[in-house]
């Protein structure tokens, strides 16, 4: 919706085929991920709840699939083509489909996992709205870069949280590969690049609220990343760290 406001100049309606399609597939993918995931008891409250209520996941997967199928008939061919590729990447993230003896899932390839998550989220929130409105990517590539660069430090923060678990499973994520301090410096560098991109976007599309929002999001994200060094709960990461994506959109939509 934030992308759509940039494309059209006004906030879009909440109810649309594209929004329903994205929400439905997100519902299905996340529940597929948790349904097939084998997590030892006690890792997190969320995982324990998932293990005790496994019957919920197939129902939500079915609900998401049906809504997705319905919305599909109202979307242009370009959006459908992009969604097929993104869907395969998302399924390959959790499903053991790769032809390798050990690392059969995309998430098992540590640094690739970071790039993949950032890229899929960026394509869903930027490319799909562009194609839905028939806009050229070359006119809005800065927004694509902004989203990608914002997502990177958030993903790195999650990888830092999971360092021990990933190491035990031989998943060499970026923090395991370069160390904690280098990871923190890289997150700071991403935020600096994000600010620079926000200025570049303002020079192309002089919308003051987006520029101010970019700087505010940078400060909020930095604050959450600092807090993440001390707070390691599911609620904090899902509400506050992941919440930076929602806050970014909220600034744009409410401005």
């Amino acid at each position: 919706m934030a992308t759509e406001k940039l494309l059209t100049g006004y906030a879009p309606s909440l109810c649309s085929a594209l929004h329903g399609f994205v929400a439905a597939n997100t519902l299905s993918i996340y529940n597929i991920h948790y349904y097939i995931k084998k997590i030892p008891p006690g890792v997190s409250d969320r995982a324990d709840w998932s293990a005790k209520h496994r019957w919920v996941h197939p129902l939500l997967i079915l609900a998401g699939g049906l809504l997705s199928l319905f919305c599909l008939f109202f979307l242009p061919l370009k959006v459908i083509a992009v969604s097929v590729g993104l869907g395969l990447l998302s399924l390959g993230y959790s499903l053991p489909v790769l032809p390798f003896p050990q690392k059969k899932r995309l998430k098992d390839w540590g640094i690739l996992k970071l790039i993949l998550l950032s890229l899929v989220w960026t394509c869903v929130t930027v490319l799909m709205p562009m194609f839905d409105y028939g806009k050229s990517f070359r006119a809005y590539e800065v927004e694509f870069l902004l989203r990608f660069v914002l997502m990177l430090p958030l993903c790195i923060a999650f990888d830092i949280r999971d360092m021990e678990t990933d190491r035990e499973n031989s998943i060499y994520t970026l923090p395991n590969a370069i160390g904690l301090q280098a990871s923190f410096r890289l997150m700071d560098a991403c935020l600096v690049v994000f600010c620079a991109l926000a200025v570049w976007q303002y020079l192309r599309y002089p919308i003051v609220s987006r520029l101010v929002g970019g700087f505010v999001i940078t400060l909020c994200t930095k604050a959450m990343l600092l807090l993440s060094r001390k707070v390691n709960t599911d609620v904090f990461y899902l509400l506050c760290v992941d919440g930076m994506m929602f806050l970014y959109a909220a600034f744009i939509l409410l401005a």
Side-chain angles (χ1 to χ4, degrees):
M1 291 177 70
T3 301
E4 289 170 319
K5 186 176 180 183
L6 175 64
L7 299 176
T8 64
Y10 57 86
S13 168
L14 179 62
C15 297
S16 74
L18 179 62
H19 299 165
F21 185 72
V22 170
N25 282 283
T26 303
L27 185 67
S28 294
I29 290 294
Y30 269 87
N31 278 279
I32 289 172
H33 173 70
Y34 273 96
Y35 188 63
I36 66 174
K37 203 173 183 181
K38 294 180 180 178
I39 307 175
V43 171
S44 71
D45 292 339
R46 183 165 46 123
D48 289 345
W49 188 96
S50 176
K52 291 177 182 177
H53 302 83
R54 285 181 62 80
W55 59 271
V56 172
H57 297 301
L59 290 180
L60 293 177
I61 292 167
L62 178 62
L66 291 174
L67 177 58
S68 174
L69 185 62
F70 174 76
C71 295
L72 200 63
F73 291 100
F74 302 95
L75 294 172
L77 208 54
K78 272 190 175 182
V79 173
I80 295 171
V82 170
S83 70
V84 170
L86 295 176
L88 291 174
L89 286 175
S90 299
L91 287 172
Y93 180 78
S94 297
L95 294 177
V97 296
L98 298 180
F100 300 105
Q102 292 182 328
K103 296 185 177 182
K104 293 179 175 292
R105 303 169 302 176
L106 288 170
K107 66 178 293 183
D108 294 330
W109 299 81
I111 297 178
L112 177 62
K113 168 187 170 184
L114 171 71
I115 303 299
L116 174 68
L117 286 174
S118 301
L119 183 62
V120 168
W121 184 76
T122 304
C123 287
V124 169
T125 62
V126 180
L127 276 190
M128 290 176 70
M130 282 184 189
F131 291 154
D132 192 41
Y133 280 81
K135 301 291 185 179
S136 167
F137 176 77
R138 285 179 296 178
Y140 299 97
E141 74 270 23
V142 182
E143 186 67 19
F144 186 92
L145 295 172
L146 269 168
R147 302 284 175 89
F148 184 77
V149 171
L150 174 62
M151 190 67 175
L152 282 175
L154 305 182
C155 288
I156 294 172
F158 274 86
D159 282 344
I160 289 174
R161 184 195 67 168
D162 298 334
M163 279 181 72
E164 292 301 323
T165 304
D166 288 335
R167 191 181 293 118
E168 290 170 4
N169 291 280
S170 299
I171 301 173
Y172 294 100
T173 56
L174 189 72
N176 280 323
I178 67 174
L180 274 177
Q181 293 308 313
S183 297
F184 290 136
R185 286 194 293 270
L186 180 58
M187 288 192 287
D188 288 341
C190 287
L191 294 179
V192 171
V193 172
F194 179 81
C195 286
L197 288 170
V199 172
W200 182 14
Q201 186 187 55
Y202 176 76
L203 295 175
R204 297 184 67 183
Y205 301 100
I207 305 171
V208 176
S209 60
R210 290 184 81 95
L211 179 63
V212 173
F215 291 144
V216 172
I217 287 296
T218 301
L219 294 174
C220 291
T221 302
K222 176 61 178 176
M224 290 304 107
L225 293 177
L226 287 172
L227 276 174
S228 71
R229 301 188 189 190
K230 300 177 181 179
V231 185
N232 195 26
T233 64
D234 269 351
V235 172
F236 174 79
Y237 271 83
L238 294 173
L239 185 64
C240 298
V241 178
D242 262 354
M244 291 302 99
M245 297 181 285
F246 180 82
L247 190 62
Y248 176 82
F251 264 108
I252 294 170
L253 291 169
L254 298 176

